[in-house]
């Protein structure tokens, strides 16, 4: 995950926040309360380790529009990889 340009996935965040080990708020409701965020990098790393992806496997990540991790952790090696 260190090679992923995380700031591109959270363009409105300060660089220190984008690369910090904390969630980054990405969407707010009318009152200013956070309603969406990019996950904390350590949590994402833990989940990826537990996933134990093997070469040739295809992964579909749902509900993570701000995730820079899953698609970048294993570079695409076949036409089916996205």
């Amino acid at each position: 995950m260190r090679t992923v340009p995380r700031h591109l996935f959270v363009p409105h965040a300060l660089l220190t926040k984008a690369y910090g080990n904390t969630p980054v708020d990405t969407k707010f409701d009318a009152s200013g309360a956070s309603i969406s965020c990019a996950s904390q990098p350590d949590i994402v790393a833990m989940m990826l380790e537990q996933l134990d992806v093997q070469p040739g496997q295809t992964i579909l990540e749902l509900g993570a529009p701000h995730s820079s991790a899953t698609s970048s952790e294993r570079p695409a090696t076949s036409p089916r990889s996205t």
Side-chain angles (χ1 to χ4, degrees):
M1 289 192 316
R2 291 182 179 142
T3 62
V4 175
R6 191 166 193 248
H7 67 280
L8 298 178
F9 293 85
V10 288
H12 301 293
L14 297 173
L15 288 178
T16 53
K17 184 75 171 169
Y19 288 97
N21 191 30
T22 60
V24 177
D25 296 323
T26 57
K27 189 173 182 180
F28 302 88
D29 67 12
S31 71
S34 176
I35 58 173
S36 183
C37 71
S39 299
Q40 180 177 343
D42 275 359
I43 299 299
V44 175
M46 181 181 65
M47 290 187 299
L48 288 171
E49 281 184 7
Q50 292 174 351
L51 185 59
D52 192 29
V53 178
Q54 299 300 312
Q57 292 180 323
T58 300
I59 300 168
L60 174 62
E61 182 178 18
L62 300 172
H66 306 291
S67 177
S68 58
T70 307
S71 62
S72 301
E73 181 67 17
R74 298 244 185 217
T77 57
S78 72
R80 293 187 63 200
S81 298
T82 58

